[in-house]
Amino acid sequence: MKTNKSQGVQTPVAVEVLRYKQKRRINEEVVLLCIFAAEWFQTEDMAYTDEFRRKRCLDTLREILGGPEKPGYLQERMNEKMDGVLDRLCADFEDLRPRDILIFCYAAAGLTSDLSARLAGLSGPGAARVIKSRLRERILLSDSPYAQEYLALLPKKGCRIGEEMLYLHNLKYKKKWKL
């Protein structure tokens, strides 16, 4: 039986294939969060000290999001899915430090300045903002053919995800449900 496009009805096989693809996409989206959660719960189950648990979870976070020691999955995927954007950025600005690349990636991913600073091992959110600002200025003054692409990934204003997270957790803006 085939799909009847005029009525929008799909065969069971077509629906099964569609759901399989959707499930696979969901798995790809949450697998890293699941790895982090598994590490977290494992450290709790093993009754590790807070210091060891913190180090282990931070190591897992840095494997996923990158850190001062080395790039992570975020940088690999960004470069892969965005046609080598990080390779081009490094070629256009040869003297960029690894932390500059990290902050660029974190800004592109929508992380807050505070979270970016913590992951990159910086002194605070102000340091992350300074790096973003200086990088944005260098890109604006450059003659790189990819300058607009870099600027699109390095927003002027603070990140959206951070603002949404703060909004969602601010009790002042929560609407109370009427019973």
Side-chain angles (χ1 to χ4, degrees):
M1 187 178 212
K2 294 183 178 181
T3 301
N4 186 341
K5 291 183 180 178
S6 64
Q7 296 177 352
V9 179
Q10 294 183 348
T11 65
V13 173
V15 171
E16 185 177 321
V17 170
L18 174 66
R19 293 294 179 245
Y20 173 77
K21 289 179 181 178
Q22 290 171 334
K23 178 183 166 195
R24 188 168 167 214
R25 175 65 189 222
I26 289 170
N27 290 346
E28 289 173 358
E29 295 292 330
V30 299
V31 69
L32 295 175
L33 181 59
C34 294
I35 290 170
F36 176 76
E39 285 281 330
W40 179 274
F41 292 127
Q42 182 185 29
T43 61
E44 286 190 353
D45 291 344
M46 301 296 285
Y48 291 135
T49 64
D50 286 343
E51 182 181 331
F52 181 80
R53 195 169 42 231
R54 182 182 185 282
K55 182 191 177 320
R56 187 139 174 213
C57 289
L58 187 58
D59 289 346
T60 302
L61 271 177
R62 287 189 169 152
E63 281 180 36
I64 296 168
L65 299 173
E69 298 84 24
K70 62 180 182 166
Y73 182 76
L74 170 66
Q75 289 77 29
E76 291 170 14
R77 292 289 288 179
M78 217 174 131
N79 207 33
E80 177 187 317
K81 295 292 183 182
M82 296 182 178
D83 301 319
V85 68
L86 297 179
D87 292 338
R88 285 183 270 129
L89 181 69
C90 290
D92 287 347
F93 303 95
E94 293 176 358
D95 60 340
L96 283 181
R97 294 175 294 218
R99 69 177 186 165
D100 299 339
I101 305 292
L102 281 176
I103 297 299
F104 177 84
C105 292
Y106 296 155
L111 276 60
T112 63
S113 294
D114 183 53
L115 184 54
S116 296
R118 289 173 187 259
L119 289 169
L122 301 174
S123 61
R129 285 190 291 269
V130 167
I131 290 171
K132 283 191 284 189
S133 176
R134 289 179 180 168
L135 187 53
R136 190 177 305 107
E137 187 176 321
R138 284 187 64 189
I139 293 169
L140 280 169
L141 297 174
S142 77
D143 57 354
S144 170
Y146 304 106
Q148 291 306 313
E149 178 183 6
Y150 302 147
L151 291 172
L153 293 172
L154 193 63
K156 277 186 182 180
K157 192 174 181 309
C159 49
R160 216 186 58 176
I161 288 178
E163 290 173 0
E164 287 175 1
M165 289 169 70
L166 290 173
Y167 173 79
L168 291 173
H169 291 90
N170 190 339
L171 296 176
K172 178 179 169 183
Y173 296 108
K174 285 191 177 179
K175 181 178 179 182
K176 294 183 180 180
W177 294 94
K178 292 183 181 180
L179 300 175

